[in-house]
Amino acid sequence: MTALMKHWSIDAAGRENLKLVESLIPTPGPAEILVRVAAVSLNYRDKLLVDDGFGLQRMVTPLTPGSDMAGKVIAVGSSVDRFQPGDRVISTFIPGWIDGVGPGNARQPTHGSLGGGYQGVLAEYVALNQEWAVKVPGGLSDVAASTLPCAGLTAWTGLVERGNLHSGQTVLVQGTGGVALFGAQIALAHGAETIVISGSDEKLTRARELGVHHAINRNKHDWVEEIYRITGDRGVDHILEIVGGAHLDQSLRAAAVGGRISLIGVLEGFEISGGFASFAQKRLVVEGIQVGHRRALEDFAHAVEMNGIKPVVDAEYGLVDLPAALDHLTRGPFGKIVVTVN
């Protein structure tokens, strides 16, 4: 009997074009591992791709969406030497970026990612090149582990890999989504004073329960002025800029002299703007963050295990319930949304 699996597929923008289909379970090539997928965490990019066709015109279709997977290796190719059957693994977001500055050039800086340029992981089984996976850190369930490859690593890259975060500094995260809460948890693990802004008192209360030091409701206060008050006008050392667009100007004003802003989100669009005076006079570093490489993911996974960091998962949905999971992502979760598969 032919072995079939279910997976999600899309060939054009729009929720009506998202279909759960069946195909053959892949056979791993010589350098590939076959993974029985257990959980897939969703990112805002997944919603943009499905609903708005974000980047879809540059991809091979039909495309299986999704980039962040945890599962178990059930078969390996003849030349595989990094894994063996039974190993629990997570995917890397950008295939082939092992370390260093990464692929791409000035004309074409993007290399593609799983579920965007490469076939994704919203499937019961996936075959991955062995270089595109990392072992699951000890102590994490599959659901929790699936949140590390994009949201977790993005926060880690901005704050630690690139930002050299250390004890005694201040960190500001915007919102209470996956990247923001990972940023707060990473900051707390490094002994940094941690500040969260959100438009929801309920979510701010939950953030305080994670241990953050200050919680600001941006709908009730001028959050930049609140930063000045909290820090005695010093400002903050690290900002995870998750909103993007013209919101960058507020981050420029809130940053400390010599501070660092990691550009991550596009909630207010792909064109950014802000005052040059703050940028120049404070001698700020403003850096775009594209998730990160495999070596950093391995470092982050080790830190998660050593520090006992528990990723925040707001809700779990079954594979057939992907549309409902995307709706929840649209509403704005507290932490991550995860699709359970096998």
Side-chain angles (χ1 to χ4, degrees):
M1 183 173 64
T2 303
L4 297 175
M5 69 170 187
K6 294 179 180 178
H7 65 98
W8 284 97
S9 179
I10 189 168
D11 57 9
R15 196 73 67 87
E16 68 278 7
N17 297 307
L18 183 65
K19 297 178 175 62
L20 185 62
V21 300
E22 284 190 338
S23 64
L24 293 174
I25 295 176
T27 300
E32 291 182 330
I33 57 176
L34 180 63
V35 181
R36 180 189 295 119
V37 178
V40 177
S41 71
L42 299 181
N43 299 300
Y44 192 71
R45 185 204 68 162
D46 299 322
K47 168 187 154 45
L48 290 177
L49 183 142
V50 171
D51 291 345
D52 303 325
F54 172 57
L56 196 60
Q57 67 276 11
R58 300 189 303 273
M59 302 172 195
V60 176
T61 55
L63 177 77
T64 296
S67 57
D68 299 6
M69 170 278 300
K72 182 178 289 186
V73 177
I74 61 170
V76 300
S78 58
S79 63
V80 169
D81 56 10
R82 297 186 65 236
F83 303 102
Q84 58 187 4
D87 286 343
R88 297 172 62 223
V89 297
I90 53 177
S91 52
T92 58
F93 184 79
I94 299 178
W97 187 10
I98 308 302
D99 204 342
V101 297
N105 55 43
R107 184 184 298 274
Q108 293 181 314
T110 59
H111 177 63
S113 61
L114 294 180
Y118 295 82
Q119 292 295 334
V121 296
L122 274 164
E124 293 180 314
Y125 296 85
V126 295
L128 296 176
N129 186 292
Q130 66 166 341
E131 304 297 339
W132 302 357
V134 169
K135 287 187 177 180
V136 170
L140 287 192
S141 67
D142 292 319
V143 167
S146 73
T147 67
L148 303 187
C150 183
L153 181 57
T154 298
W156 177 267
T157 298
L159 292 175
V160 180
E161 177 71 22
R162 301 292 299 170
N164 299 310
L165 174 66
H166 59 78
S167 178
Q169 292 187 313
T170 52
V171 172
L172 168 68
V173 301
Q174 299 170 357
T176 54
V179 176
L181 292 187
F182 267 119
Q185 291 176 297
I186 291 166
L188 291 169
H190 280 76
E193 186 174 7
T194 307
I195 307 167
V196 174
I197 62 172
S198 170
S200 166
D201 283 335
E202 186 265 335
K203 289 180 178 179
L204 289 172
T205 297
R206 295 173 70 181
R208 285 188 179 277
E209 292 170 354
L210 293 176
V212 302
H213 301 95
H214 308 281
I216 302 170
N217 189 319
R218 56 178 170 77
N219 291 329
K220 296 181 178 180
H221 305 279
D222 180 328
W223 69 263
V224 176
E225 287 295 331
E226 284 295 292
I227 292 297
Y228 296 159
R229 180 186 64 80
I230 290 169
T231 64
D233 283 348
R234 181 180 178 276
V236 288
D237 298 298
H238 296 263
I239 298 176
L240 297 186
E241 174 55 67
I242 295 172
V243 179
H247 191 267
L248 173 63
D249 186 65
Q250 292 171 277
S251 290
L252 293 171
R253 293 192 292 118
V257 172
R260 186 179 191 91
I261 300 172
S262 296
L263 291 175
I264 294 167
V266 294
L267 297 178
E268 286 194 2
F270 291 89
E271 300 296 325
I272 57 174
S273 63
F276 179 75
S278 295
F279 177 64
Q281 293 170 2
K282 293 183 182 181
R283 301 171 294 284
L284 301 177
V285 173
V286 179
E287 182 176 22
I289 302 296
Q290 191 190 21
V291 188
H293 47 60
R294 193 188 78 194
R295 196 265 302 152
L297 180 58
E298 292 169 334
D299 290 349
F300 175 49
H302 181 70
V304 166
E305 183 172 351
M306 291 298 99
N307 289 280
I309 293 174
K310 299 300 182 185
V312 180
V313 175
D314 197 16
E316 300 174 27
Y317 292 84
L319 181 63
V320 298
D321 298 320
L322 176 62
L326 291 171
D327 288 340
H328 193 154
L329 194 64
T330 301
R331 296 194 299 272
F334 184 84
K336 295 293 290 180
I337 300 297
V338 176
V339 174
T340 56
V341 183
N342 285 294

